Amino acid sequence: MSSFLRRLFSSDASPADGLTQHQREAIIDLLNFCMCTDGKVLLDEEITIDDEIQEFCWDPSVDFRTFAAQSLERARAAVATPETRRIALDSISDRLETPGAKEGALVLCHKVFKADGDYAPVERGVFLEIKRAFGLRE
């Protein structure tokens, strides 16, 4: 069994990633949101997300594949209008809970935005929008 699968289905009481399951789910929702903001879902972005979430200690009672597919659909719907964006980002911010989790999620967002080699103006704007939603300084 790969180390990824061992971590993914670990039953340790204190996960090595230091996150709650709600925080892990919020981060995946956020990264999918970031990937969808420019209207293109590129392989480089998907690979970056996959690489980053390999360290997550996913709760085995939550089917990861189902969650990931639903998360991508939620992200596609969330980027549609300013109102749906705000609602999605507020939900993600609430689920991340702590400043540390929010800062860590922002680092991952930045990686996704830069994954395709083009940190587009729309992505820069969305990054600032995320920071505002998280109550962090621009």
Side-chain angles (χ1 to χ4, degrees):
M1 177 185 271
S2 77
S3 61
F4 169 64
L5 290 176
R6 252 191 311 276
R7 283 190 306 272
L8 188 62
F9 296 105
S10 171
S11 62
D12 293 345
S14 59
D17 62 14
L19 300 168
T20 66
Q21 183 63 22
H22 289 294
Q23 289 170 323
R24 288 181 207 103
E25 292 172 5
I27 290 171
I28 291 172
D29 284 346
L30 180 62
L31 297 180
N32 281 327
F33 177 90
C34 292
M35 183 172 57
C36 292
T37 59
D38 62 2
K40 301 177 282 187
V41 175
L42 301 174
L43 182 59
D44 291 338
E45 293 167 331
E46 288 183 37
I47 290 170
T48 298
I49 291 171
D50 288 345
D51 287 349
E52 294 301 330
I53 65 172
Q54 282 189 27
E55 297 302 316
F56 283 4
C57 298
W58 195 260
D59 182 340
S61 69
V62 179
D63 182 70
F64 180 78
R65 290 178 195 256
T66 301
F67 180 84
Q70 292 169 345
S71 175
L72 187 56
E73 289 305 312
R74 283 191 300 273
R76 287 182 174 136
V79 300
T81 70
E83 180 66 12
T84 56
R85 292 160 72 101
R86 184 191 57 74
I87 292 168
L89 292 176
D90 287 349
S91 169
I92 290 166
S93 179
D94 289 346
R95 289 180 290 143
L96 285 172
E97 299 173 340
T98 67
K102 291 175 184 180
E103 290 285 347
L106 281 174
V107 168
L108 297 177
C109 284
H110 201 254
K111 287 182 179 183
V112 170
F113 286 142
K114 289 186 152 192
D116 62 1
D118 180 27
Y119 191 37
V122 68
E123 292 169 325
R124 285 188 202 102
V126 170
F127 189 73
L128 292 175
E129 187 178 349
I130 293 167
K131 287 179 82 171
R132 281 191 298 271
F134 287 5
L136 302 171
R137 293 186 314 188
E138 294 178 30

